[in-house]
Amino acid sequence: MSRRWLYWLPLAALLGACGESTSPPTGPEPTPGYAWRLPAGFPTPSVPADNPMTDAKVELGRRLFYDKRLSLNGTQSCASCHEQARAFSDGRIHAVGSTGQAHRRNAQALVNVAYATSLTWANPAITTLEAQALTPLLGTEPVELGFADKEEVLLTRLREDSALTARFAQAFPGEATPVSLATLTRALASFERTLISGTSPYDRYLQGGAVDALSASAKRGLELFLSERLECDHCHSGFNFQDATRHEATTEPLLPFHNTGLYNEDGTGAYPATDRGLIELTGRSDDMGRFKAPSLRNVAVTAPYMHDGSVATLSEALDHYAAGGRARKDNQGAPNRYQSGFVMGFTLTAQEKADLIAFLESLTDTAFLTDPRFADPAESP
């Protein structure tokens, strides 16, 4: 038995279950003081010690997430680039900020972001949701929400709302100044940690014993996904289909970044000067073109794909990996010298490609995409 089948042993057991149903396992014990509503088989997320989860913080964070006062010109909220129906992505090639300035990167989905070890495409220094929230609020390259050097404008705006100020005081009872940048980001992070998806057809098949939850095509696609021929699960592994994953029991969270052979500008592996990935921060040549591998949960509704949104469909994404990298396919040459050794190419029949897409579509969690707990409180109080 290979290493990966040992890793996915519960799944292998189901693949050989011959139609027999099993009782769904119970989820983890709730964290004291906060009742997590976790899907079966999901570990408890890791939470910073200085921002323990509470219902009051989560509800405040939800209201702030949808509040357009969080953009300087009042035109955008966090939800403008992170729509629930798209697993909290936006469907654009590049995100667009409140002033109309385009981001150079694709807006990441926030699905299961509570488990992510890295919170941007290529910055290993931003490892908490609290820290990440400062980037759209205060960043200048590009302008997103637009409050750089204007934090007091934002805080004054929020403090003028007596009902909102009362919610801050309830969520942060020990704070001398309840409405602050620190409490704002902590509330947003608390809400974002609740955006957990784990009731897709795949999950009902794997954890709930619902052997008919996946079609025959999707089951074949699952076996292909886990096969050594395709190597998909090296970067999209575990319960979250993501290698950069942590939770309460994780001892040493990994911060992997990968070059998938998307570009080879000069024949020696260079990426476009507009976005070269991790190398921009580290200066290490081996980090050319390296970006985070996102979770594949709800991937069918988060197109377009890749850090720059340059791959439009799941079919095109599979073509990219089958070719051993798009640059290799375009240039009919050797792999990009910096790209991952797991992106070496493979051959798929039309049926196998359809099966893989069927499996990836089975990761769509419609209950998550419509859950009123995550919706705009103005529409779902």
Side-chain angles (χ1 to χ4, degrees):
M1 182 176 288
S2 71
R3 173 198 55 79
R4 79 185 51 195
W5 283 105
L6 283 168
Y7 186 80
W8 289 87
L9 188 58
L11 176 57
L14 271 175
L15 286 170
C18 299
E20 293 183 7
S21 166
T22 59
S23 298
T26 58
E29 291 296 320
T31 299
Y34 181 77
W36 288 99
R37 294 173 58 177
L38 298 176
F42 273 48
T44 303
S46 176
V47 177
D50 64 353
N51 190 25
M53 296 287 287
T54 68
D55 290 327
K57 285 183 195 175
V58 170
E59 181 55 29
L60 172 61
R62 179 169 79 118
R63 292 176 180 275
L64 292 168
F65 188 86
Y66 287 95
D67 195 331
K68 290 185 178 180
R69 288 176 293 186
L70 263 65
S71 59
L72 182 63
N73 60 13
T75 62
Q76 282 191 341
S77 66
C78 303
S80 299
C81 291
H82 300 286
E83 304 169 25
Q84 182 179 9
R86 299 179 186 271
F88 295 94
S89 62
D90 69 357
R92 295 176 180 268
I93 294 174
H94 296 154
V96 176
S98 58
T99 63
Q101 185 177 358
H103 200 295
R104 62 177 176 164
R105 292 177 179 164
N106 181 255
Q108 295 188 64
L110 298 184
V111 57
N112 290 0
V113 72
Y115 296 108
T117 60
S118 175
L119 280 307
T120 71
W121 279 109
N123 188 343
I126 300 178
T127 59
T128 69
L129 289 165
E130 290 82 358
Q132 187 281 328
L134 295 172
T135 298
L137 281 169
L138 308 180
T140 59
E141 296 182 11
V143 172
E144 294 181 69
L145 296 174
F147 281 104
D149 300 321
K150 295 181 175 63
E151 299 98 311
E152 284 304 315
V153 174
L154 169 60
L155 298 176
T156 298
R157 183 182 294 180
L158 298 179
R159 289 166 184 160
E160 289 173 346
D161 184 332
S162 59
L164 185 62
T165 299
R167 288 187 178 276
F168 269 95
Q170 180 185 14
F172 299 96
E175 296 288 336
T177 306
V179 183
S180 67
L181 199 60
T183 56
L184 168 63
T185 56
R186 288 174 182 174
L188 285 169
S190 295
F191 169 64
E192 290 167 354
R193 287 192 176 96
T194 69
L195 303 178
I196 295 175
S197 171
T199 57
S200 66
Y202 162 80
D203 295 295
R204 296 197 299 275
Y205 172 74
L206 174 62
Q207 297 287 0
V211 295
D212 295 329
L214 294 188
S215 67
S217 177
K219 290 175 184 176
R220 293 193 300 268
L222 172 54
E223 293 193 74
L224 282 167
F225 183 88
L226 296 175
S227 70
E228 294 185 4
R229 175 157 67 100
L230 270 61
E231 305 283 13
C232 304
D233 76 317
H234 279 281
C235 297
H236 299 287
S237 56
F239 73 96
N240 202 32
F241 292 89
Q242 183 179 29
D243 56 358
T245 297
R246 68 177 170 190
H247 50 79
E248 197 172 64
T250 304
T251 54
E252 295 183 13
L254 298 176
L255 285 169
F257 299 87
H258 311 279
N259 183 316
T260 63
L262 197 61
Y263 295 102
N264 188 357
E265 293 286 284
D266 59 358
T268 64
Y271 266 48
T274 53
D275 196 354
R276 300 185 301 151
L278 192 60
I279 190 176
E280 294 179 350
L281 296 178
T282 68
R284 296 177 63 250
S285 60
D286 287 348
D287 288 332
M288 174 67 72
R290 287 190 176 179
F291 295 89
K292 180 178 80 170
S295 170
L296 294 185
R297 286 191 169 274
N298 296 285
V299 67
V301 301
T302 63
Y305 306 108
M306 305 299 182
H307 69 279
D308 60 354
S310 63
V311 174
T313 65
L314 286 175
S315 178
E316 289 182 20
L318 291 179
D319 289 344
H320 163 77
Y321 289 108
R326 186 173 64 191
R328 184 179 185 185
K329 177 183 177 183
D330 292 345
N331 299 331
Q332 298 296 312
N336 173 338
R337 68 189 179 105
Y338 299 116
Q339 77 186 54
S340 168
F342 295 116
V343 184
M344 299 305 293
F346 48 80
T347 300
L348 287 178
T349 67
Q351 183 61 60
E352 286 176 327
K353 185 177 183 181
D355 292 343
L356 270 171
I357 291 174
F359 165 64
L360 294 172
E361 289 174 342
S362 80
L363 299 177
T364 302
D365 184 352
T366 55
F368 171 77
L369 301 178
T370 58
D371 193 324
R373 293 179 300 146
F374 309 140
D376 186 345
E379 300 174 2
S380 180

